[in-house]
Amino acid sequence: MASAIQAQVLDAAVGICRERGSWTFELSEIIHALPDLNPQSVRTHVTSRCCVNAPANHAHRWSYFRRVGRGKYEVMPAYRRAEIVRAAHVREAQPVYAPNLPLRSLLHAVITRSEKWYVAEVLELPVVTQARTLDEIVTNVREAVGLHLRDEDRALLGLADRVRVAVSYETGIES
């Protein structure tokens, strides 16, 4: 099932490329074009979820873009015409799966500290949440993942019926 952020990223890329008259774009352009979205989620979608030649660190990918250089991507020919892009959203473009891989039962969330807030991002899903304490952020991650998956066909997302979340806390080292 196509996610809302995926559709916005594809629309932004096609719009930028149409204006320029070239089918390549830079990651920073998409982030700038979508200021209401979490920049890290946009990065994840462009570099991994929507990129055919990205490393296989996600359970599925859509074949919208191809990486052609550092931070530079190309809209794949199948998505260059406006009517095809609209049709893809109507039928909800199907992800490209590695059919021999088992269903994923473990998701990963990374927590970072940002001034007075802890921010967590789930690496395999477009889920980001925040809280003031570590206990609250863990609870929020569990709840956000549950809400995200509530009405989803987990097998279609490459996920097992029961999933766990491994949480990591990243911090800088002061010298």
Side-chain angles (χ1 to χ4, degrees):
M1 174 174 259
S3 67
I5 190 170
Q6 170 203 341
Q8 291 178 51
V9 166
L10 178 60
D11 286 343
V14 169
I16 287 167
C17 290
R18 279 193 184 289
E19 286 178 21
R20 178 181 300 127
S22 165
W23 290 107
T24 60
F25 64 91
E26 292 188 13
L27 173 60
S28 60
E29 294 175 296
I30 305 301
I31 293 168
H32 182 71
L34 300 170
D36 294 339
L37 297 178
N38 178 307
Q40 189 61 37
S41 294
V42 173
R43 276 187 202 91
T44 298
H45 274 75
V46 172
T47 63
S48 295
R49 293 181 182 270
C50 298
C51 187
V52 296
N53 58 347
N57 63 328
H58 289 282
H60 62 275
R61 295 195 296 262
W62 288 270
S63 57
Y64 294 159
F65 312 132
R66 175 179 32 236
R67 184 174 187 245
V68 294
R70 186 178 180 118
K72 194 166 190 170
Y73 297 83
E74 171 188 30
V75 175
M76 297 297 285
Y79 296 96
R80 293 179 181 176
R81 293 193 348 237
E83 61 273 10
I84 290 176
V85 171
R86 279 194 295 278
H89 295 301
V90 170
R91 74 171 191 279
E92 296 191 4
Q94 294 300 307
V96 178
Y97 293 104
N100 297 328
L101 291 179
L103 295 177
R104 180 184 299 256
S105 63
L106 181 65
L107 302 175
H108 302 86
V110 177
I111 299 172
T112 55
R113 177 83 181 195
S114 174
E115 295 183 23
K116 295 181 180 180
W117 293 94
Y118 290 95
V119 178
E121 178 180 11
V122 178
L123 301 179
E124 296 85 0
L125 297 172
V127 172
V128 178
T129 187
Q130 66 183 20
R132 293 205 183 266
T133 69
L134 284 171
D135 287 340
E136 288 175 7
I137 196 72
V138 170
T139 300
N140 287 358
V141 166
R142 186 179 306 133
E143 182 179 303
V145 168
L147 289 171
H148 183 82
L149 296 176
R150 182 174 52 194
D151 296 326
E152 296 290 336
D153 179 350
R154 292 178 187 204
L156 185 61
L157 295 173
L159 298 174
D161 288 335
R162 295 181 51 90
V163 294
R164 298 171 295 130
V165 180
V167 179
S168 301
Y169 179 63
E170 290 185 0
T171 185
I173 298 174
E174 296 180 27
S175 49

